[in-house]
Amino acid sequence: CSAIAADHARAEFALRNASGKLALPCRVEHLTETSPGADRWLSTIRMSTRDLATGNHQLQAVARDLQSGAILAEDTFGFMYPGDAPAWLGSQEGISEEVLPPFTPLEATDDDGVHAISCWGRSYQFGRDPFISQIISQSQHLLAGPIRLQATIDGEKQSWTCRELNASTDSPAKHTLEQELESDAAGVNVSTSIEYDGFIRQDWELTVADGGQVQALTYEIPLNPETARYSYWWPQPRSGALSADLATEFKPIVWLGSEDVGLQWVCESDEQWHSADPERAIEIIRGEDEVLLRLNLVSQTMDLAAGEMLTYSFGLHATPVKPMERDAWDYRIVRHPWYGQSFQLHEKKVGETPALEYFRAKGVRALINWRMWDAFAYVAPLGHEEEFRELVKTWHQYGIGVVPYTVSFLLSENAPEALFFREEMTRAPLTEFPIIFPGLPRETDYHTCHNSIWSDYVADGIARLIDEYDVDGIYLDTTSTPWPCNSELHGCGYPRPDGTRAPTYPVFAARTNLKRLYTVVKSRKPEGIIDLHVYDCMLAPALSFVTTYWNGEQLPKGHAFKPEVLPLDRFRTEFMGYNWGPPADLLYYCLGDYEKSVAIALLHDVPVRSEKLPDLEVQSALWKLRERFGVQQAEWMPYWRNSDVVTVTPEDCYASLFNHLDGRALAYVSNLSREDANVTVWLDLNALGLKPPLTAADGLTGETLGMADGTLTVKMPSQSFRTVWVEGKR
């Protein structure tokens, strides 16, 4: 309504059944301005459905002038009330303690007072020290020393003794430990759970037996400098080489690592963080012998009464979280160029070739199906059930897997569930997301909360989608992001002293939901795809449960020089996959140039997922080149650790290579300087086992390249790449 005064009008609501009778008593409500000065007015009504009968109903809304009785605005809305609770509510789909491949059951050992729990590629050691003594990933020690709890109580620095360590094996999928720590003034109880993918959750509480003043409390993770050379945190990500000490306000996700391994700490809330300087709640301090992740839990004096507790819940996850059994080059997932027209793909042609035949010939193994629904990101082909069934059958006839866009992080206003469950599923405050999608009327969707019944809805929906339509996996858009939420209905948020409600970040629930979806897919389709677009949130406990991730949409658009937007140290931090676990694809449309993006990604052996037909020509050629060369049987020697066998000039030009035991090498050479350059590459032939006489050729075009004494020079435009195949005598 508009052009009315709040005191001069009221909203009247009537709910009627299919026969026109009142289903609930009429209601009269106040109108409130949507925002001061907007001259737009809104009224909201809440009605109990306890006594509402199953069937079709119509809600009538009228805005009426109180003085004249004139109707200022009116509308009606029809809906079908289902009566009984939906089948998905309380669903157990995806809830399982089965250890799914490629993970392995947990193993526990006790040796000389050290209790070690091991999973694939990693080991966590517990002893007489507080919390964790050592974490090992891929045979590398991540910690420079045991995790430390520093506390000053009543002016005295506390020294902790571990009184008791009790370990139990709940199942091959989960082990638990209980620790009791004591000092002169305080006690700490720590409850630790370790799951089969290596995720640790520690819930702990500190008490001061006789009460007292806590002047300081810090939780410190001392990391090996060799395995903590890069840092990442979220939200407002900081990602790249750790070249200086850092400090930040509370962040729920922090990772420190290298090109191969890392450790992520997560926490849902800054509740009971009493910071004198909130901008330094978390510090990363570089030292010669350690890189210290310091969590300043208490940095201003506080009184803690006898029996009162400080409680915290942290997660720790050593990366990589899983073995990379297949890389993104092998999955060959592509988005086709006819955005929003998947149902018409069987009619499309590339030249005279049917599009599906073209994709098959190029080596595509799976296509993202961007639209199967009339409600954005719905869990079923709403409005297109038979059409979608035929689509799956047709794509399968060409040997192409169907990976539908579904779940996302949104609840569509057009989803049937939104009418009755929007408040229960969405984050608070309500966050709207306008959707403009080809073939769909404009709609408003809403950010969902992982810590809600939305988890039952999506797990049950995906199970039905696979069972009924035989899809080959799912594409998840930003689904792992733990958006902040303060909804008491979900158990999110906490009250601040000033009466407002602070948000929490549901990182544990996000992990649980991805685990459920992984279980749903893999229990039905052992080779099924869970392809996650992470946007900018690298949540390791959720990445355990995807098969591939797609990263790059967060990059700014419109920059001509791509390495400025995506520096190499940032790429090594979050875009490679190897140091996280699942394989990565680069999303390039924000970078804006496919081949310039390839020049960056190829140095890291990461494919750039094609979106247009010319992109696919390049990507297909690279697939075939890798197959011909036999990269699976070759040693990968990337630019950041091959300087003993490769030299490249001029500055900002790089080469990464595969070295094959059969006496050949495949080099990816990139000119990432701002200028065109004559790029010279020198190879240590003896070290690489390359025996003369040698031949060198462009791996994609077959053009012969001159090489003498292991040296070749090629003219390369700025931001370009070449593939160089060097063949030695066998």
Side-chain angles (χ1 to χ4, degrees), residues 629-643:
F629 181 83
V631 297
Q632 298 293 341
Q633 294 77 44
E635 178 186 2
W636 171 239
M637 306 177 74
Y639 67 91
W640 61 87
R641 56 168 173 244
N642 68 14
S643 59

Side-chain angles (χ1 to χ4, degrees), residues 101-104 120-122 138 320-326 546 581-583:
F103 301 103
T104 55
W120 171 86
R122 287 149 298 156
Q138 310 304 302
V321 297
K322 63 194 301 184
M324 194 179 291
E325 294 186 317
R326 297 174 62 187
V546 304

Side-chain angles (χ1 to χ4, degrees), residues 662-665 689-696 725-730:
D662 285 351
R664 59 180 180 269
L690 298 174
K691 299 177 181 180
L694 299 174
T695 60
W725 185 318
V726 180
E727 189 81 37
K729 180 181 178 182
R730 300 194 181 189

